[in-house]
Amino acid sequence: MSFLGNISKKAVEKAYNLASKVEGGRDYFTSATHTVSSLVAGKNPRVYLKPGNVIQIISRSSGRTIQIVVSQTTNQLICDAIGGTGAYYPNAHWLVVCTKNGHYYFHNNYNYLAIKDGEIVIIPSSINEKSPVEAEFLVQDVLGSAQAIYFESVHMPGYFLGFNEDGNPSNAPKIQRKDRSSQFETHIITYGPGIQPEKDDTKVETPAEAAPPSHLAAASASSNQSDTQAK
Protein backbone atom coordinates (compact mmCIF):
# COMPACT_ATOMS: atom_id res chain seq x y z
CA MET A 1 0.00 0.00 0.00
CA SER A 2 1.29 3.48 -0.87
CA PHE A 3 2.21 6.13 1.70
CA LEU A 4 -0.89 8.17 0.79
CA GLY A 5 -2.98 5.03 1.06
CA ASN A 6 -1.73 4.50 4.60
CA ILE A 7 -2.57 8.09 5.50
CA SER A 8 -6.07 7.79 4.05
CA LYS A 9 -6.71 4.54 5.91
CA LYS A 10 -5.56 6.04 9.20
CA ALA A 11 -7.68 9.14 8.61
CA VAL A 12 -10.79 7.07 7.96
CA GLU A 13 -10.14 4.96 11.05
CA LYS A 14 -9.71 8.11 13.13
CA ALA A 15 -12.88 9.58 11.66
CA TYR A 16 -15.01 6.60 12.58
CA ASN A 17 -13.42 6.35 16.01
CA LEU A 18 -14.40 9.95 16.65
CA ALA A 19 -17.86 9.48 15.20
CA SER A 20 -18.49 6.47 17.43
CA LYS A 21 -18.12 8.52 20.60
CA VAL A 22 -21.46 9.38 22.13
CA GLU A 23 -20.17 12.22 24.25
CA GLY A 24 -19.82 15.32 22.09
CA GLY A 25 -22.44 14.24 19.55
CA ARG A 26 -22.47 16.22 16.32
CA ASP A 27 -19.24 18.07 17.09
CA TYR A 28 -17.33 14.77 17.22
CA PHE A 29 -18.81 13.66 13.90
CA THR A 30 -18.01 17.05 12.35
CA SER A 31 -14.39 16.70 13.46
CA ALA A 32 -14.24 13.16 12.09
CA THR A 33 -15.59 14.12 8.69
CA HIS A 34 -13.20 17.06 8.49
CA THR A 35 -10.27 14.69 9.13
CA VAL A 36 -11.16 12.62 6.07
CA SER A 37 -12.10 15.54 3.81
CA SER A 38 -8.86 17.39 4.57
CA LEU A 39 -6.95 14.71 2.63
CA VAL A 40 -8.89 15.36 -0.57
CA ALA A 41 -7.41 17.90 -2.97
CA GLY A 42 -9.34 21.11 -3.49
CA LYS A 43 -10.14 24.50 -1.98
CA ASN A 44 -11.52 24.08 1.53
CA PRO A 45 -14.52 26.41 1.90
CA ARG A 46 -13.85 26.68 5.64
CA VAL A 47 -10.82 28.92 5.04
CA TYR A 48 -13.14 31.87 4.43
CA LEU A 49 -15.26 31.30 7.54
CA LYS A 50 -13.29 33.78 9.63
CA PRO A 51 -14.73 36.56 11.84
CA GLY A 52 -15.42 39.73 9.89
CA ASN A 53 -14.99 38.16 6.46
CA VAL A 54 -17.64 38.99 3.88
CA ILE A 55 -18.42 35.94 1.78
CA GLN A 56 -20.86 34.53 -0.72
CA ILE A 57 -22.44 31.11 -0.22
CA ILE A 58 -22.80 29.17 -3.46
CA SER A 59 -25.40 26.42 -3.79
CA ARG A 60 -24.05 23.34 -5.55
CA SER A 61 -27.60 22.54 -6.63
CA SER A 62 -28.43 25.82 -8.42
CA GLY A 63 -24.85 26.91 -9.06
CA ARG A 64 -25.74 30.40 -7.81
CA THR A 65 -25.36 32.36 -4.58
CA ILE A 66 -27.76 32.74 -1.66
CA GLN A 67 -29.21 36.24 -1.76
CA ILE A 68 -31.81 38.34 0.05
CA VAL A 69 -34.84 39.42 -1.98
CA VAL A 70 -38.25 40.92 -1.24
CA SER A 71 -41.23 38.60 -1.54
CA GLN A 72 -43.69 39.75 -4.19
CA THR A 73 -46.59 38.30 -2.22
CA THR A 74 -45.80 39.24 1.40
CA ASN A 75 -43.37 42.14 0.86
CA GLN A 76 -41.09 40.53 3.45
CA LEU A 77 -37.41 39.67 3.14
CA ILE A 78 -36.79 36.13 1.95
CA CYS A 79 -33.86 34.32 0.34
CA ASP A 80 -33.19 32.24 -2.74
CA ALA A 81 -30.12 30.76 -4.40
CA ILE A 82 -30.11 32.51 -7.78
CA GLY A 83 -27.86 35.44 -6.88
CA GLY A 84 -24.84 36.61 -8.85
CA THR A 85 -21.19 36.20 -7.93
CA GLY A 86 -18.90 39.10 -7.12
CA ALA A 87 -18.86 42.61 -5.69
CA TYR A 88 -21.75 43.83 -7.88
CA TYR A 89 -24.26 41.75 -5.90
CA PRO A 90 -24.33 43.14 -2.34
CA ASN A 91 -27.61 41.40 -1.50
CA ALA A 92 -25.67 38.12 -1.84
CA HIS A 93 -22.93 39.17 0.61
CA TRP A 94 -22.82 37.66 4.11
CA LEU A 95 -20.79 38.83 7.09
CA VAL A 96 -19.32 35.90 9.02
CA VAL A 97 -19.83 35.93 12.80
CA CYS A 98 -18.03 33.20 14.76
CA THR A 99 -19.03 31.94 18.21
CA LYS A 100 -16.77 30.66 20.98
CA ASN A 101 -17.93 27.08 20.43
CA GLY A 102 -17.09 27.02 16.73
CA HIS A 103 -20.55 27.82 15.36
CA TYR A 104 -21.49 30.58 12.91
CA TYR A 105 -23.98 33.31 12.10
CA PHE A 106 -24.33 34.91 8.66
CA HIS A 107 -26.02 38.26 8.15
CA ASN A 108 -26.43 40.95 5.54
CA ASN A 109 -26.85 44.33 7.23
CA TYR A 110 -28.17 42.44 10.30
CA ASN A 111 -30.66 40.45 8.27
CA TYR A 112 -29.81 36.91 9.38
CA LEU A 113 -29.90 33.71 7.37
CA ALA A 114 -31.81 31.24 9.57
CA ILE A 115 -33.93 28.12 9.90
CA LYS A 116 -37.12 28.79 11.84
CA ASP A 117 -39.97 26.33 12.38
CA GLY A 118 -38.42 24.04 9.78
CA GLU A 119 -38.21 26.70 7.07
CA ILE A 120 -35.30 28.67 5.62
CA VAL A 121 -35.95 32.32 6.40
CA ILE A 122 -34.41 35.76 6.81
CA ILE A 123 -34.72 37.24 10.31
CA PRO A 124 -34.31 41.04 10.43
CA SER A 125 -32.39 42.34 13.44
CA SER A 126 -30.22 45.31 14.41
CA ILE A 127 -26.77 46.11 15.75
CA ASN A 128 -28.19 46.48 19.26
CA GLU A 129 -29.98 43.13 19.32
CA LYS A 130 -28.60 39.72 20.16
CA SER A 131 -28.19 37.37 17.21
CA PRO A 132 -31.34 35.23 16.74
CA VAL A 133 -30.98 31.70 18.09
CA GLU A 134 -32.56 30.37 14.88
CA ALA A 135 -29.62 31.80 12.91
CA GLU A 136 -26.86 29.76 14.56
CA PHE A 137 -25.27 27.13 12.33
CA LEU A 138 -22.89 24.23 12.69
CA VAL A 139 -20.72 23.76 9.61
CA GLN A 140 -20.04 20.19 8.53
CA ASP A 141 -17.73 18.90 5.83
CA VAL A 142 -19.08 16.75 3.02
CA LEU A 143 -17.39 13.38 3.47
CA GLY A 144 -14.89 12.81 0.66
CA SER A 145 -15.04 16.40 -0.62
CA ALA A 146 -12.65 19.23 0.19
CA GLN A 147 -14.77 21.84 -1.58
CA ALA A 148 -18.25 21.50 -0.09
CA ILE A 149 -19.86 21.96 3.32
CA TYR A 150 -23.25 21.61 5.00
CA PHE A 151 -24.92 24.20 7.25
CA GLU A 152 -26.88 22.51 10.03
CA SER A 153 -29.20 24.43 12.33
CA VAL A 154 -28.07 24.43 15.96
CA HIS A 155 -31.55 25.45 17.10
CA MET A 156 -33.16 22.63 15.07
CA PRO A 157 -30.65 19.75 14.85
CA GLY A 158 -31.06 17.63 11.74
CA TYR A 159 -32.26 20.57 9.62
CA PHE A 160 -29.94 21.91 6.91
CA LEU A 161 -29.82 24.86 4.56
CA GLY A 162 -30.87 23.61 1.15
CA PHE A 163 -32.04 24.90 -2.24
CA ASN A 164 -33.29 23.11 -5.34
CA GLU A 165 -31.95 23.51 -8.88
CA ASP A 166 -34.21 26.52 -9.44
CA GLY A 167 -32.78 28.23 -6.36
CA ASN A 168 -35.91 27.85 -4.24
CA PRO A 169 -35.47 27.00 -0.54
CA SER A 170 -35.99 23.37 0.37
CA ASN A 171 -38.88 22.49 2.67
CA ALA A 172 -39.43 19.57 5.04
CA PRO A 173 -38.69 16.72 4.64
CA LYS A 174 -36.14 17.77 1.99
CA ILE A 175 -34.53 20.20 4.41
CA GLN A 176 -33.75 17.25 6.69
CA ARG A 177 -31.68 15.42 4.08
CA LYS A 178 -27.96 15.75 3.40
CA ASP A 179 -27.59 15.63 -0.38
CA ARG A 180 -26.42 17.88 -3.21
CA SER A 181 -29.22 20.38 -2.54
CA SER A 182 -27.74 21.06 0.90
CA GLN A 183 -24.10 21.32 -0.22
CA PHE A 184 -22.41 24.70 -0.55
CA GLU A 185 -19.12 26.33 -1.47
CA THR A 186 -17.86 29.75 -0.39
CA HIS A 187 -16.48 32.75 -2.25
CA ILE A 188 -14.55 35.55 -0.56
CA ILE A 189 -15.53 39.18 -1.14
CA THR A 190 -13.47 40.97 1.52
CA TYR A 191 -11.32 39.84 4.42
CA GLY A 192 -12.11 40.93 7.96
CA PRO A 193 -9.80 43.09 10.10
CA GLY A 194 -6.57 41.26 10.85
CA ILE A 195 -7.44 38.25 8.67
CA GLN A 196 -4.56 37.17 6.43
CA PRO A 197 -5.57 36.52 2.80
CA GLU A 198 -5.18 33.00 1.49
CA LYS A 199 -1.97 32.46 -0.48
CA ASP A 200 -3.70 31.62 -3.76
CA ASP A 201 -6.22 34.46 -3.59
CA THR A 202 -4.52 36.88 -5.97
CA LYS A 203 -7.69 38.82 -6.67
CA VAL A 204 -10.34 39.73 -4.15
CA GLU A 205 -13.58 41.55 -4.94
CA THR A 206 -13.20 40.75 -8.63
CA PRO A 207 -16.66 39.88 -9.99
CA ALA A 208 -17.00 36.64 -11.90
CA GLU A 209 -19.79 38.15 -13.99
CA ALA A 210 -20.29 41.36 -15.93
CA ALA A 211 -21.95 44.18 -14.03
CA PRO A 212 -25.72 44.35 -14.50
CA PRO A 213 -26.90 47.26 -16.70
CA SER A 214 -27.92 50.46 -14.98
CA HIS A 215 -31.61 51.28 -14.69
CA LEU A 216 -31.18 54.05 -17.28
CA ALA A 217 -29.48 51.72 -19.76
CA ALA A 218 -32.11 49.03 -19.28
CA ALA A 219 -34.94 51.54 -19.72
CA SER A 220 -33.31 52.95 -22.86
CA ALA A 221 -32.88 49.49 -24.36
CA SER A 222 -36.50 48.66 -23.63
CA SER A 223 -37.64 51.91 -25.26
CA ASN A 224 -35.56 51.28 -28.38
CA GLN A 225 -36.97 47.77 -28.68
CA SER A 226 -40.52 49.10 -28.44
CA ASP A 227 -39.82 51.70 -31.16
CA THR A 228 -38.38 49.03 -33.46
CA GLN A 229 -41.40 46.79 -33.00
CA ALA A 230 -43.75 49.72 -33.67
CA LYS A 231 -42.08 50.37 -37.02
Side-chain angles (χ1 to χ4, degrees), residues 102-150:
H103 298 164
Y104 301 90
Y105 293 92
F106 305 95
H107 72 80
N108 181 310
N109 196 27
Y110 296 98
N111 295 302
Y112 285 82
L113 185 61
I115 294 179
K116 183 177 181 180
D117 298 329
E119 295 185 356
I120 299 169
V121 298
I122 297 297
I123 300 180
S125 186
S126 71
I127 191 173
N128 297 319
E129 295 182 72
K130 187 177 180 180
S131 301
V133 295
E134 299 91 344
E136 186 175 359
F137 288 97
L138 170 68
V139 172
Q140 298 183 11
D141 293 287
V142 176
L143 187 62
S145 171
Q147 298 175 303
I149 49 180
Y150 298 112

Side-chain angles (χ1 to χ4, degrees), residues 130-207:
K130 187 177 180 180
S131 301
V133 295
E134 299 91 344
E136 186 175 359
F137 288 97
L138 170 68
V139 172
Q140 298 183 11
D141 293 287
V142 176
L143 187 62
S145 171
Q147 298 175 303
I149 49 180
Y150 298 112
F151 294 92
E152 182 182 8
S153 170
V154 174
H155 180 66
M156 296 189 68
Y159 284 75
F160 300 84
L161 283 183
F163 296 84
N164 63 23
E165 294 180 354
D166 295 325
N168 297 316
S170 300
N171 294 319
K174 185 72 173 177
I175 197 175
Q176 295 174 270
R177 291 167 51 186
K178 294 171 70 173
D179 56 21
R180 188 172 180 81
S181 68
S182 54
Q183 295 177 8
F184 299 89
E185 299 179 14
T186 58
H187 172 78
I188 187 70
I189 295 297
T190 57
Y191 286 98
I195 302 298
Q196 292 296 321
E198 293 298 307
K199 293 181 180 179
D200 57 349
D201 288 335
T202 55
K203 295 181 179 180
V204 179
E205 291 191 275
T206 301

